[in-house]
Amino acid sequence: MARKSFPILKQLIQQCTNRSFTSTASPRAVTLIPGDGVGPLVTDAVEQVMKAMKAPVYFDRYEVRGDMKCMPEEVMDSIKKNKVCLKGGLMTPVGGGVSSLNVQMRKELDLYASIVHCFTLPGLPTRHNDVDIVVIRENTEGEYAGLEHEVVPGVVESLKVITKYCSERIAKFAFEYADVNKRKKVTAVHKANIMKLADGLFLESCREVAAKYPEIQYEEIIVDNCCMQLVSKPEQFDVMVTPNLYGNLIANTTAGLAGGTGVMPGGNVGTDQAVFEQGASAGNVGNEKILKLKKANPVALLLSSAMMLRHLEFPSFADRLETAVRRVIAEGKFRTKDVGGDSTTQEVVDAIIAAVD
């Protein structure tokens, strides 16, 4: 089988381009979902920075809460029309039979690939130096299939679904990502020693795709060993490809190594649409104290917005935004509490706006 190209992927991840974009580029509409908790605070930060840069984007804003039974139809229509969405955290109710709007959105839009780039920022103290790991997670099936039922009172059966089609396309996505970005290794994370058929099928698909990319090193690791290796020697990992649940755990663990969820960008992409949000999901809506003090960290969503700008083919604006964020982090004067400071969200935003060239 010939290697398949992913145009939407290349728009999103290619780091270098010969094209130059200025503020004369045609503005693009982006669906904006501020979300719950600190979501409106950090999405407002993005809007302020975009306005200061005169970035060629404008936002179609929709109020959505995580406790809604379903994503409003007009919101889904907007995303399908604009093809790009920026989203704050949406609360996922625990138990009670209420499904996650995040999962609903991924399934309906077939946002099959989650990309979380976990990397250390110069000037930000972390337990490990030079962490640079990309976690690519299958986003539509596995334990997130939502197939649960109570067999008899007190006994619940939950089905994990793994298909050849979804496993193969996420593996292709991961290897294409590595190829485009000139990365050297892809590691498949699994539990095939126990789930021999389900995770076995995932591994089989990864091996078949890996054979088409002989220039990229391919490895496999059991998920429990992976967690131990991550916290002891994270430098051994480059690109990681995972089934759905493992990817959520691995992305949040890796984010913790590189500065926390408040600084990790991410995106969920499919064939036609892309949704950008904070990369690691743990604590993505913050807590009441952070919200009351207005001290939520806007860095993760700002860096996710840079990914969005690159996806929209506005690389010069993405570069300016990333450079400004890195400069503020490196200087260390304005940081929120989660990364060792005591600044408010607005103080960090003001510093980033001042740093934008």
Side-chain angles (χ1 to χ4, degrees):
M1 183 187 298
R3 279 160 53 170
K4 182 180 179 182
S5 176
F6 291 80
I8 193 169
L9 169 65
K10 292 189 177 182
Q11 291 174 18
L12 173 64
I13 65 176
Q14 198 158 15
Q15 301 298 315
C16 301
T17 178
N18 293 324
R19 299 176 68 181
S20 176
F21 293 86
T22 68
S23 58
T24 60
S26 298
R28 286 287 306 272
V30 173
T31 303
L32 177 66
I33 301 175
D36 295 313
V38 301
L41 193 59
V42 294
T43 53
D44 178 68
V46 172
E47 290 186 276
Q48 290 184 57
V49 175
M50 292 291 181
K51 183 178 179 180
M53 291 197 305
K54 295 182 171 57
V57 298
Y58 61 94
F59 295 103
D60 292 337
R61 186 186 185 100
Y62 292 89
E63 300 300 329
V64 178
R65 301 186 316 276
D67 59 359
M68 291 179 170
K69 291 185 178 180
C70 63
M71 186 65 72
E73 185 176 349
E74 62 269 22
V75 179
M76 298 304 295
D77 289 342
S78 175
I79 298 173
K80 291 173 183 177
K81 176 184 175 182
N82 295 332
K83 300 189 180 301
V84 178
C85 174
L86 182 71
K87 184 173 82 66
L90 284 174
M91 176 190 66
T92 298
V94 178
V98 179
S99 63
S100 165
L101 293 187
N102 297 304
V103 175
Q104 286 183 28
M105 182 184 297
R106 293 169 200 158
K107 287 184 177 180
E108 184 170 340
L109 298 174
D110 196 25
L111 303 174
Y112 67 89
S114 165
I115 306 172
V116 180
H117 188 186
C118 297
F119 55 94
T120 48
L121 288 160
L124 190 64
T126 56
R127 293 180 181 274
H128 297 274
N129 297 320
D130 301 321
V131 173
D132 186 5
I133 301 172
V134 178
V135 181
I136 295 178
R137 162 192 176 192
E138 202 293 316
N139 223 11
T140 63
E141 55 177 20
E143 289 85 350
Y144 286 67
L147 301 175
E148 294 184 310
H149 65 279
E150 189 173 38
V151 182
V152 295
V155 179
V156 173
E157 186 175 61
S158 181
L159 301 179
K160 171 178 177 173
V161 176
I162 297 287
T163 65
K164 178 74 170 178
Y165 173 76
C166 289
S167 298
E168 186 176 74
R169 71 174 176 175
I170 199 65
K172 287 180 180 178
F173 191 99
F175 277 92
E176 190 72 10
Y177 185 107
D179 185 47
V180 169
N181 280 293
K182 311 233 180 297
R183 288 188 172 252
K184 297 179 180 179
K185 181 168 67 173
V186 172
T187 302
V189 182
H190 67 95
K191 192 64 177 175
N193 57 322
I194 302 300
M195 284 166 276
K196 300 181 185 298
L197 294 180
D199 285 23
L201 178 59
F202 176 79
L203 279 187
E204 176 188 308
S205 302
C206 289
R207 290 168 184 166
E208 290 174 359
V209 173
K212 301 178 176 66
Y213 294 81
E215 70 281 6
I216 298 173
Q217 183 183 353
Y218 172 66
E219 292 183 351
E220 299 169 358
I221 188 168
I222 296 173
V223 63
D224 41 347
N225 182 34
C226 178
C227 292
M228 188 274 289
Q229 295 290 336
L230 270 174
V231 299
S232 58
K233 295 187 293 183
E235 66 276 2
Q236 68 185 288
F237 297 106
D238 189 354
V239 175
M240 306 176 78
V241 60
T242 77
N244 205 336
L245 178 61
Y246 308 156
N248 188 22
L249 304 177
I250 295 298
N252 281 277
T253 301
T254 309
L257 299 174
T261 58
V263 295
M264 295 299 113
N268 301 283
V269 305
T271 304
D272 298 312
Q273 288 91 24
V275 175
F276 297 90
E277 58 187 324
Q278 180 175 305
S281 61
N284 67 340
V285 298
N287 59 47
E288 288 298 324
K289 185 177 180 180
I290 291 175
L291 181 58
K292 184 177 180 180
L293 296 175
K294 299 187 184 303
K295 291 187 175 182
N297 194 340
V299 168
L301 199 63
L302 285 166
L303 291 176
S304 299
S305 300
M307 292 176 65
M308 179 189 75
L309 288 168
R310 190 162 283 113
H311 169 71
L312 290 170
E313 299 189 351
F314 300 136
S316 63
F317 288 95
D319 291 342
R320 287 171 59 200
L321 178 51
E322 288 176 348
T323 299
V325 170
R326 287 175 179 270
R327 184 179 301 167
V328 170
I329 290 291
E331 289 174 352
K333 186 176 179 181
F334 297 100
R335 293 180 184 170
T336 49
K337 187 175 181 179
D338 61 307
V339 287
D342 195 41
S343 301
T344 64
T345 304
Q346 191 59 51
E347 286 171 339
V348 175
V349 171
D350 291 342
I352 290 171
I353 288 175
V356 172
D357 293 331

